[in-house]
Amino acid sequence: NTNAEYMGDGSYAVFPFTSVTKGMSTVIKDDDGTCMVYHKGGADEVLAKCTYFRDSLGEQQSLTDEAREQLATTIKEFASQANRNIGVAYQKITGDLPTENPLTDYVWFGVVGIQDPLRPEVLEAVHKCQHAGVTVRMCTGDNLDTALAISKECGIYDNTKAHIALTGKDFRDLIYDSFALGDEGASRLTPLLFALTVLARSQPLDKQILVLM
């Protein structure tokens, strides 16, 4: 979180997107000495960093469990329609420009769903690979719901074939737990790897492990 890029006359800073934070922030210093932090990223990840939200009247409210669940439901609905969801939040802080990207106490502002339609040739290309005996897997930074929706459109994930979809974290936990069990773990892991077709919220390390396995 210390990779800030200070711009111009030092009046604002940018914390670029990373695969760890799943977001980026821009901090702008006002003349009164306060700083406005604007944050965007994967909607579910941004929501987890929020403590407040703006209601329909534009008033700031505490983000109760009920309100958080309602927003999470909206994000899930967007994702199930193959949207890539971008959450937007902000907060005001005092003092100098931060050296670390603030990751808590944001005010939730909204979510935007963006669709990237499949190219016409994608479905046919996937089918050709599968017909030739090549297993096609999707490794993506998208959240699990979005990844599932897109992979179904591509013909990669199929509920009728006992395919498995995991997040990068669940995948890593599965690998590490299997190694700890030795031969028994390996025997359990092998059929799961063959059934794995979607890896969501994945990091570069997950892709390396998948290839090596």
Side-chain angles (χ1 to χ4, degrees):
N1 295 333
T2 59
N3 58 338
E5 298 176 0
Y6 297 96
M7 305 293 184
D9 57 357
S11 60
Y12 71 100
V14 175
F15 293 89
F17 176 91
T18 72
S19 60
V20 176
T21 63
K22 301 295 183 185
M24 66 165 293
S25 301
T26 299
V27 188
I28 301 175
K29 189 171 184 178
D30 292 331
D31 293 335
D32 62 3
T34 62
C35 296
M36 288 297 298
V37 185
Y38 301 97
H39 185 68
K40 68 176 181 178
D44 51 334
E45 299 285 343
V46 173
L47 181 60
K49 301 167 188 170
C50 292
T51 309
Y52 309 95
F53 75 105
R54 288 282 183 180
D55 62 19
S56 58
L57 298 177
E59 299 293 330
Q60 181 172 310
Q61 305 289 348
S62 294
L63 190 55
T64 62
D65 290 342
E66 180 181 359
R68 187 180 298 275
E69 184 176 348
Q70 290 176 347
L71 291 171
T73 298
T74 298
I75 292 170
K76 189 176 182 66
E77 288 175 352
F78 276 30
S80 66
Q81 299 168 21
N83 286 297
R84 289 186 167 93
N85 297 324
I86 298 176
V88 182
Y90 69 93
Q91 64 173 291
K92 181 180 286 189
I93 59 177
T94 57
D96 296 330
L97 292 173
T99 58
E100 295 189 358
N101 191 358
L103 298 178
T104 59
D105 292 331
Y106 279 99
V107 181
W108 175 265
F109 193 70
V111 57
V112 178
I114 299 176
Q115 283 199 350
D116 185 12
L118 294 180
R119 294 181 180 179
E121 65 272 17
V122 169
L123 189 59
E124 182 182 358
V126 170
H127 285 166
K128 285 182 177 179
C129 288
Q130 293 169 338
H131 184 70
V134 177
T135 299
V136 180
R137 292 186 172 95
M138 173 185 286
C139 297
T140 176
D142 291 329
N143 76 9
L144 188 57
D145 294 313
T146 300
L148 278 172
I150 296 175
S151 64
K152 289 176 182 177
E153 290 184 5
C154 295
I156 294 174
Y157 183 88
D158 189 341
N159 287 329
T160 66
K161 295 182 179 179
H163 286 168
I164 294 175
L166 296 173
T167 64
K169 181 182 183 305
D170 291 338
F171 175 69
R172 291 190 297 276
D173 290 344
L174 177 66
I175 296 295
Y176 299 149
D177 290 345
S178 298
F179 282 160
L181 294 174
D183 292 341
E184 180 184 353
S187 63
R188 293 180 182 179
L189 179 62
T190 299
L192 293 177
L193 288 177
F194 276 112
L196 178 65
T197 55
V198 177
L199 193 56
R201 282 285 186 254
S202 63
Q203 298 180 7
L205 176 61
D206 302 327
K207 301 171 186 178
Q208 288 181 304
I209 294 175
L210 185 59
V211 171
L212 292 173
M213 298 302 293

